[in-house]
Amino acid sequence: MNQEQGKPIPWTRKLVVPMIAGAICGGLVAFATTQLFDTDWVGAAGPSRMFAGVIGALYVLLAVGVLVGAMSPALGEKYLQAEDADELREQQAMLVQSSFAMLAWGIGLFLLSLAAPVGPLAMPLVGIAVCVLMLAGIYFAWQSHRRSDELFAAVNSQATVYAYYLMFLVAGGWAVLAHLAVVPMFQPIDLITTFFVVALLAAFAAAGQRGMMVPR
């Protein structure tokens, strides 16, 4: 049990305060990213690339937050949903690998949003970097899964199922409506960004169903 001078940490500090702090940090990162895309350096990127950049930046923010908490359990127990610092120490290897995966994927998506011909970054270099980062993310995610205990392994499996059906619903439904000329067809980067958003939502949904989103 988390303790502070012999008393459990109040649920307001364990849940509400981290949520508010996370919302503020996320809002600042999103605002900074949109401001970047409004500069002359980026050019006329458009809403699809801007949204991809925001999602990539948020992935990086989440990855850094989890990584810091995993590497410093005494700090991490104050905002990560763990019973105490000892639990974070037990899960450290898994959380670090998971953070590396999210970091690689987030940077990859952010670079992709800045790629030429619309963006300022050279397309061949971005293509190579994104391929390396995506493969690195897959490697770290697999290493994280291998180090997961029974609960986290079950959450990973459930999140994968949720992501599959959500992608089928969102991307498939969008494609059907576009085929019927009800909505415009999505751009390739829209589909990639959708993968990222759906994966994150599925992970939170699976964790919430397993009771991992409440203070412990």
Side-chain angles (χ1 to χ4, degrees):
M1 178 182 297
N2 286 298
Q3 294 185 347
E4 183 177 52
Q5 297 179 348
K7 297 181 180 180
I9 296 177
W11 69 273
T12 51
R13 283 188 56 188
K14 188 65 178 176
L15 181 63
V16 177
V17 173
M19 284 181 63
I20 294 174
I24 292 173
C25 292
L28 291 174
V29 168
F31 176 76
T33 305
T34 56
Q35 292 299 109
L36 173 66
F37 275 80
D38 281 337
T39 63
D40 294 334
W41 181 69
V42 176
S48 293
R49 286 174 176 261
M50 181 183 293
F51 185 61
V54 169
I55 297 301
L58 290 177
Y59 257 71
V60 171
L61 175 65
L62 287 172
V64 171
V66 174
L67 183 60
V68 170
M71 297 301 295
S72 179
L75 175 63
E77 70 169 335
K78 292 179 172 59
Y79 65 91
L80 294 177
Q81 294 304 315
E83 186 174 356
D84 51 29
D86 289 335
E87 182 179 355
L88 288 176
R89 292 186 185 95
E90 293 173 1
Q91 302 290 345
Q92 187 177 67
M94 181 271 295
L95 292 173
V96 168
Q97 297 290 336
S98 178
S99 299
F100 286 162
M102 288 195 68
L103 189 62
W105 287 333
I107 294 174
L109 182 60
F110 189 80
L111 291 177
L112 193 62
S113 69
L114 296 173
V118 178
L121 301 184
M123 188 163 43
L125 293 178
V126 172
I128 295 172
V130 169
C131 287
V132 171
L133 288 166
M134 294 302 168
L135 290 174
I138 292 172
Y139 170 79
F140 288 125
W142 174 246
Q143 293 300 315
S144 174
H145 181 71
R146 289 181 58 192
R147 289 166 171 78
S148 299
D149 59 17
E150 185 176 350
L151 176 59
F152 275 97
V155 170
N156 289 338
S157 299
Q158 194 167 2
T160 302
V161 174
Y162 286 168
Y164 171 80
Y165 286 111
L166 279 172
M167 270 309 294
F168 189 81
L169 176 65
V170 176
W174 191 350
V176 169
L177 292 176
H179 177 72
L180 297 175
V182 177
V183 297
M185 187 58 181
F186 48 74
Q187 299 180 27
I189 198 168
D190 291 324
L191 182 61
I192 298 170
T193 306
T194 303
F195 274 116
F196 278 72
V197 174
V198 164
L200 200 59
L201 292 177
F204 280 120
Q209 188 171 13
R210 295 278 177 172
M212 299 175 68
M213 301 298 292
V214 296
R216 289 185 285 163

